[in-house]
Amino acid sequence: MSKTSVGYGKSPGAYKDKEKPFQIRESNISAAKAVADAVRTSLGPRGMDKMIQSANGDVTITNDGATILKQIQVLHPSAKMLVELSKAQDIEAGDGTTSVVVIAGSLLTAASKLLSKGIHPTTISESFQRASGKAVEILTDMATPVDLNDRESLVKIASTSLNSKVVSQYSGMLAPLAVDAVLRIVDPKKPDNVDLRDVKIIKKLGGTIEDTELIDGLVFSQRTAGSGGPTKMEKARIGLIQFCLSPPKTDMDNQVVVSDYAQMDRVLREERAYILNLVKQIKKAGCNVLLIQKSILRDALNDLALHFLTKMKIMVVKDIERSDIEFICKTINCKPIASIDHFQPEMLANAELVEEVTTGTSKVVKITGIANPGRTVTVLIRGSNKLVLEEADRSIHDALCVIRCLVKEKALIAGGGAPEIEVGQRMSEYAQGLTGMEGYCFSAFAEALEVIPSTLAENAGLNPISVVTELRNRHAHGEKTAGINVRKGAITNILEENVVQPLLVSTSAIRLAAECVTSIMKIDDIVMTM
Ligand code: ADP
Ligand code: MG
């Protein structure tokens, strides 16, 4: 009715500017590709490391895709999707965080070519989704089963993952360590998964990475409290307390005015009596090693209490974090004690030995020979400087994750670009049987996977084109495990080089990358709400 109604007759939501969705998509693709290019050079055993300096001056040296991307500040929303993609792979598989981003970058390049040929984005994203399903199917078909009792194979797989790290020269000792750690926490009742929170990582500066050890027991990164107390206790009876050994505070903000010396003496006497009573009860229960949780309300342990404990020859480890309590209880098989009334002999744990040992320049407390140990282990990582120590931690995490992948899905495939070429070829064959746009998109997807071998070759200083061509040729002649032998700079049977990786790492990388690309393709506008 009103003559001023705006846009009447045209559909209000449709774009007047037909170019806009196209431009938005292009901008999304190029932003995401820029992120992928940033990590490309880190792929593989000859990949380069990155040095990242954060705004507050902290420096990180790493080769791990997830870590690099976590630290990079990206502004573009679709670039952020790639950062998230790498994080998702880190959670799902733990390794392959660089590969997943490189694959996504390559799929985006392929998609952008298909777009410019006039194929509709929905067709592309649907085909890619189906193609990733097919790729996973082919990979699963290629995989060889692995037995968790076959320690040798597991060590090979962990070494492959460690080979591409900054600490690769130590893979010979870190790989068996990671395998043993995971195998020790596998619960026979739940053989299909492990919780890596049961592997506690403690980092201590000093020594070299070669001094890293797996400890069957518990380690505290702090030394025993006070001085003069026992530092070694055989036949330990361990109590873990969550209450404080210090004078109680009033509930409200009261003030007590002490006006003469007699009153002051009384206050001190009462305090002394109160604390002595607590310590005597602890002694009476038979405890000789006391673990004390940190308190934020008041001193968990005051000087007087420490003095009494020292006199009674009770070893004390204080400042235990709240978050570590669960792990400690599980390991030494005890219950945390929340009040002195519950400090009974049956709440204590037994161990052969609790000892303060010197590692490098500092001291740690070790509990060994635990009577009823839980399924946990502790890894004590040593390193000569902070940067190496941090990177060793991340690398061991990757190796642990790789073994966890094998626990989840007990199958392995060759590495070194062999699976990608094989999948690419079988998919191209499959695509010839498809009709319409879909076949075209499948071929593009298959070709995009070749980015992994070509990047591996490039980073190893080989000619990517001739390497990929030769790989294609060999695979076409049935050499399913022909891959890039980085050490020799040639193409050989990669299984002989012992380069193997878990199936789950590759399948999850392809699935997640395709999913990310699919969602980027479906975006046709960016709306700011600020
Ligand atoms: P990601 O963060 O994705 O795990 P990496 O830098 O660990 O990246 O590189 C993994 C890739 O390197 C995999 O494709 C793997 O097959 C390959 N690779 C690892 N070790 C070797 C090796 N010794 N020879 C050839 N390729 C290898
Ligand atoms: Mg890796």
Side-chain angles (χ1 to χ4, degrees), residues 144-402:
T144 19
V146 53
D147 186 359
L148 285 189
N149 296 320
D150 180 5
R151 186 163 172 277
E152 206 179 314
S153 294
L154 300 185
V155 171
K156 279 183 205 164
I157 296 167
S159 318
T160 307
S161 153
L162 286 167
N163 267 340
S164 50
K165 302 290 177 192
V166 178
V167 296
S168 59
Q169 72 261 43
Y170 302 108
S171 62
M173 58 136 322
L174 293 180
L177 187 142
V179 171
D180 291 341
V182 176
L183 290 186
R184 219 171 284 178
I185 62 168
V186 178
D187 188 349
K189 282 191 216 115
K190 269 189 291 174
D192 292 331
N193 205 350
V194 288
D195 188 350
L196 287 186
R197 278 175 300 183
D198 291 341
V199 180
K200 183 152 182 73
I201 307 271
I202 290 183
K203 290 173 276 185
K204 267 281 170 196
L205 212 54
T208 62
I209 294 180
E210 273 173 356
D211 301 324
T212 298
E213 54 181 332
L214 184 69
I215 292 155
D216 206 1
L218 194 59
V219 177
F220 295 101
S221 56
Q222 62 265 52
R223 45 178 302 178
T224 53
S227 59
T231 55
K232 183 175 177 184
M233 190 67 71
E234 283 168 17
K235 303 246 176 306
R237 306 257 302 136
I238 308 161
L240 172 61
I241 62 169
Q242 295 183 305
F243 56 87
C244 301
L245 297 178
S246 58
K249 276 193 181 159
T250 47
D251 286 344
M252 273 168 287
D253 211 1
N254 290 345
Q255 276 191 344
V256 181
V257 180
V258 182
S259 52
D260 63 45
Y261 283 117
Q263 282 180 339
M264 199 136 123
D265 278 349
R266 223 181 97 203
V267 170
L268 287 177
R269 223 172 24 241
E270 298 248 313
E271 181 184 324
R272 205 180 151 84
Y274 171 79
I275 288 178
L276 189 59
N277 177 36
L278 290 181
V279 176
K280 273 185 177 164
Q281 290 205 39
I282 290 172
K283 182 79 186 166
K284 206 175 103 202
C287 171
N288 55 15
V289 176
L290 191 65
L291 313 175
I292 304 175
Q293 184 185 322
K294 212 181 214 169
S295 166
I296 48 167
L297 298 174
R298 55 183 159 120
D299 278 348
L301 173 73
N302 73 354
D303 290 344
L304 192 60
L306 184 58
H307 169 74
F308 287 139
L309 289 167
T310 308
K311 276 209 152 166
M312 292 188 189
K313 302 242 175 304
I314 298 176
M315 188 169 167
V316 183
V317 180
K318 61 171 187 174
D319 289 342
I320 291 172
E321 297 289 342
R322 173 81 195 83
S323 51
D324 290 339
I325 296 289
E326 199 183 331
F327 181 83
I328 294 172
C329 292
K330 192 167 178 189
T331 308
I332 62 176
N333 200 6
C334 73
K335 289 202 193 90
I337 307 169
S339 96
I340 190 70
D341 302 331
H342 297 132
F343 205 100
Q344 305 296 343
E346 65 270 15
M347 303 290 268
L348 304 181
N350 293 310
E352 290 288 319
L353 182 66
V354 181
E355 192 182 15
E356 184 178 84
V357 285
T358 311
T359 54
T361 49
S362 56
K363 290 182 173 170
V364 297
V365 175
K366 271 189 197 176
I367 303 183
T368 45
I370 298 163
N372 283 310
R375 288 187 185 281
T376 63
V377 284
T378 305
V379 179
L380 180 62
I381 306 181
R382 310 290 312 284
S384 50
N385 70 56
K386 195 167 150 276
L387 298 179
V388 172
L389 199 61
E390 300 281 329
E391 179 66 358
D393 178 15
R394 285 189 288 268
S395 308
I396 291 178
H397 169 79
D398 273 21
L400 292 173
C401 286
V402 161

Side-chain angles (χ1 to χ4, degrees), residues 421-490:
I421 291 281
E422 184 68 21
V423 169
Q425 286 198 339
R426 290 213 214 160
M427 271 190 51
S428 303
E429 276 166 32
Y430 177 77
Q432 280 164 13
L434 296 175
T435 51
M437 297 298 183
E438 193 171 20
Y440 202 73
C441 295
F442 262 62
S443 307
F445 187 98
E447 203 171 316
L449 291 180
E450 283 176 2
V451 71
I452 296 285
S454 92
T455 310
L456 281 174
E458 207 176 315
N459 291 348
L462 307 170
N463 182 339
I465 296 176
S466 67
V467 166
V468 170
T469 322
E470 192 181 339
L471 275 176
R472 279 186 193 162
N473 182 329
R474 296 254 199 131
H475 279 256
H477 288 95
E479 287 184 45
K480 286 183 186 162
T481 52
I484 303 168
N485 185 337
V486 181
R487 217 170 299 154
K488 291 201 186 120

Side-chain angles (χ1 to χ4, degrees), residues 42-45 63 65 95-99 160-161 163-164 415-417 452 456 484 486 494 499 501:
S42 295
L43 185 79
N63 179 283
D95 195 14
T97 50
T98 317
S99 312
T160 307
S161 153
N163 267 340
S164 50
I452 296 285
L456 281 174
I484 303 168
V486 181
I494 203 74
V499 179
Q501 55 197 29

